[in-house]
Amino acid sequence: MKIRADFSEAKKDIEALSKLSPELEKELDNWKNESVRELKYQARGMRKTVWRKTGALAKSIGGKKIRNTSGINIIVGSGVFAPEVPYALLQEDGGTITPKKRDWLAIPFRGVKGFPREYRDTFFAFSKNKNLILFQKLGKHGKRPLFALKKEVNIPASKWFSSVMDKQKEKLAALLSENNILARLGVTK
């Protein structure tokens, strides 16, 4: 008994799949780079006081592609290449900041640097809104506000990360959809 099999169509499909892999990997790289670019843009544009914005969050965002036996993993976020900033998650989800080492949080006013203990000729007073303020005496009658003292500060959720990644997940799903893969292979349903 002789059995004959024609694998020419299967060979064509395998060749098409092997060409798809590098092309798809390049598309995944493009998706990763676009995600990082959009996250950095979002982080730079977050509403902050001008005098306290360092750009550390945007600088901490990165992405990398890891190829292993199970496939390709893409990692995007804060701390991928640069050190992760400790407040990235707090700014994403919001939360309450409380003092860890002292009784009060010292929130500097514009142009003030350093810590309250570094300033001389200071006194405390309450603002019209009943906030405790550390002032510095300037001459006989002058004064300059240095720090607002608070027991806690509530940070609203900004969703800087999830708002971008929700859009990027949709793009990734479209890129990896069965119809898109089949169309790249020249197969129609």
Side-chain angles (χ1 to χ4, degrees):
M1 177 194 239
K2 275 188 173 181
I3 298 176
R4 228 173 174 189
D6 182 10
F7 293 107
S8 59
E9 287 298 315
K11 283 182 181 178
K12 288 179 189 174
D13 289 345
I14 290 171
E15 284 178 28
L17 280 172
S18 68
K19 289 177 185 172
L20 176 66
S21 181
E23 182 183 313
L24 189 58
E25 197 166 330
K26 184 177 180 184
E27 289 291 323
L28 289 172
D29 258 344
N30 291 340
W31 177 87
K32 171 192 58 110
N33 294 337
E34 180 184 341
S35 297
V36 168
R37 192 171 42 254
E38 290 296 318
L39 285 169
K40 285 180 179 271
Y41 179 80
Q42 187 75 10
R44 284 187 193 109
M46 287 174 52
R47 188 178 69 103
K48 285 180 137 185
T49 54
V50 175
W51 48 274
R52 273 298 190 193
K53 190 169 177 104
T54 63
L57 179 59
K59 290 174 195 166
S60 77
I61 297 168
K64 66 181 173 180
K65 178 181 65 177
I66 301 169
R67 178 184 274 285
N68 55 31
T69 56
S70 64
I72 299 171
N73 293 324
I74 295 179
I75 301 168
V76 175
S78 175
V80 176
F81 289 117
E84 183 177 10
V85 294
Y87 52 84
L89 188 59
L90 178 70
Q91 288 188 336
E92 169 69 13
D93 296 334
T96 301
I97 300 173
T98 55
K100 301 275 188 264
K101 297 178 183 176
R102 303 280 188 247
D103 292 336
W104 297 84
L105 293 170
I107 295 133
F109 283 95
R110 184 181 304 247
V112 175
K113 297 192 184 323
F115 300 95
R117 67 177 173 271
E118 297 171 352
Y119 289 88
R120 302 285 174 245
D121 297 324
T122 59
F123 65 96
F124 293 99
F126 284 98
S127 70
K128 292 176 185 174
N129 296 336
K130 304 294 184 221
N131 291 318
L132 186 59
I133 309 288
L134 176 66
F135 288 91
Q136 183 176 39
K137 293 178 188 173
L138 298 173
K140 278 189 171 185
H141 303 291
K143 63 183 176 182
R144 171 173 87 136
L146 297 173
F147 296 90
L149 294 136
K150 303 267 188 184
K151 286 289 187 182
E152 66 181 28
V153 175
N154 292 313
I155 306 294
S158 68
K159 301 296 182 192
W160 69 274
F161 186 84
S162 58
S163 64
V164 169
M165 291 313 294
D166 286 346
K167 292 174 189 166
Q168 290 301 106
K169 279 188 232 175
E170 290 174 16
K171 290 179 181 179
L172 183 62
L175 178 67
L176 298 176
S177 72
E178 181 181 358
N179 289 341
N180 188 31
I181 301 280
L182 290 174
R184 287 168 183 262
L185 293 172
V187 178
T188 55
K189 272 186 145 182

